[in-house]
Amino acid sequence: MKNILLFTIFGLLAHKAFSQQTDTVDQKAILKQIADANGYENWNEVTEIAFTFNVDRDTTHFERSWVWRPNTNTITAISDTDTLTYNWSDMDSTAYKTNAGFINDKYWLLAPFQLVWDMGNITTSHEKDATAPISKKQLQKLTIVYGNEGGYTPGDAYDLYFGEDLLITEWVFRESNQTEPSMITTWEDYMEVKGLKIAKMHRMSEGDFKLYFSGISVK
């Protein structure tokens, strides 16, 4: 009886360990699937991507433009008053401050790819049936939470909502992984360029706010 009990306990522990390992594999798989649905397999062919990040809130407009050469990690920041080119391998204080804006804008542009790029610094959970906050549709939900070290905003969390095509349609940003949303927007007006699928428009359900991209080009 004692041997049978030990075997049963061992079997349960082994099953739990296997289930946890399977869950980890499944979580990583969904990250890659979402990235691939947005053309991640074509990213290696990209030598340059340029875009303008725009925010309209009520009657105000803000924009800044970027040119990124991922093969050399060279970034050019373009504003109304200045142009700055820098490299991630050698940033002074001005470049470091500027780069915070680039990291933010790039994340909005390429969040599906960030799921793969940041895989080593996030924890995830996946629900196959969840209510999207804006459309109220039943969609899949992927929650990602960043580690508490590294980056400009460690510990932040995102809830991504998507359908069978694995394209994000809404997301929730939660600063420092707090329970209440910090921002909720749509993901819409997708375009495809050089095999990359990019959502050009993000709107809030309330208020006159939209965040969008223009001047997108990929080489």
Side-chain angles (χ1 to χ4, degrees):
M1 179 65 69
K2 183 177 179 180
N3 289 339
I4 294 175
L5 181 60
L6 288 173
F7 178 79
T8 302
I9 292 173
F10 177 79
L12 289 172
L13 290 174
H15 174 73
K16 182 178 180 182
F18 177 77
S19 296
Q20 289 175 338
Q21 184 180 21
T22 302
D23 288 346
T24 301
V25 172
D26 288 345
Q27 298 300 323
K28 288 185 176 181
I30 194 67
L31 301 180
K32 185 66 163 53
Q33 289 167 10
I34 293 173
D36 285 345
N38 286 269
Y40 182 69
E41 68 276 10
N42 299 306
W43 178 254
N44 287 338
E45 304 300 319
V46 174
T47 59
E48 179 182 293
I49 182 167
F51 59 93
T52 297
F53 173 89
N54 304 269
V55 176
D56 289 353
R57 187 190 298 270
D58 298 325
T59 59
T60 65
H61 173 77
F62 169 81
E63 69 177 60
R64 56 191 172 199
S65 299
W66 306 95
V67 179
W68 178 27
R69 297 174 181 85
N71 291 341
T72 60
N73 283 324
T74 302
I75 298 103
T76 298
I78 305 166
S79 67
D80 290 339
T81 58
D82 196 15
T83 297
L84 173 67
T85 297
Y86 62 94
N87 191 281
W88 276 342
S89 65
D90 183 22
M91 291 193 294
D92 59 17
S93 58
T94 300
Y96 186 82
K97 182 178 180 180
T98 301
N99 191 59
F102 174 70
I103 294 297
N104 175 81
D105 300 357
K106 173 177 69 75
Y107 201 98
W108 279 94
L109 185 77
L110 300 173
F113 297 174
Q114 293 288 161
L115 297 176
V116 175
W117 294 335
D118 297 340
M119 192 179 291
N121 190 39
I122 57 177
T123 57
T124 65
S125 61
H126 177 220
E127 298 177 37
K128 293 186 177 180
D129 192 16
T131 303
I134 296 177
S135 66
K136 306 305 180 186
K137 293 180 179 179
Q138 294 303 113
L139 298 171
Q140 296 186 62
K141 175 185 175 184
L142 176 69
T143 295
I144 63 171
V145 182
Y146 279 84
N148 291 320
E149 295 182 1
Y152 289 89
T153 54
D156 288 345
Y158 298 83
D159 304 314
L160 284 57
Y161 294 85
F162 54 94
E164 301 259 338
D165 59 3
L166 300 176
L167 296 181
I168 302 168
T169 59
E170 302 176 27
W171 79 349
V172 178
F173 164 62
R174 294 182 289 110
E175 186 177 4
S176 301
N177 197 21
Q178 62 187 6
T179 303
E180 293 300 314
S182 304
M183 177 180 285
I184 306 173
T185 72
T186 62
W187 278 61
E188 55 185 291
D189 193 16
Y190 275 84
M191 68 174 290
E192 184 168 342
V193 53
K194 299 291 185 179
L196 311 184
K197 293 181 181 178
I198 297 173
K200 294 190 296 181
M201 178 64 68
H202 307 275
R203 302 178 190 269
M204 289 184 178
S205 60
E206 299 177 354
D208 188 10
F209 172 93
K210 62 180 181 179
L211 185 158
Y212 57 99
F213 293 95
S214 58
I216 300 172
S217 68
V218 179
K219 296 180 181 179

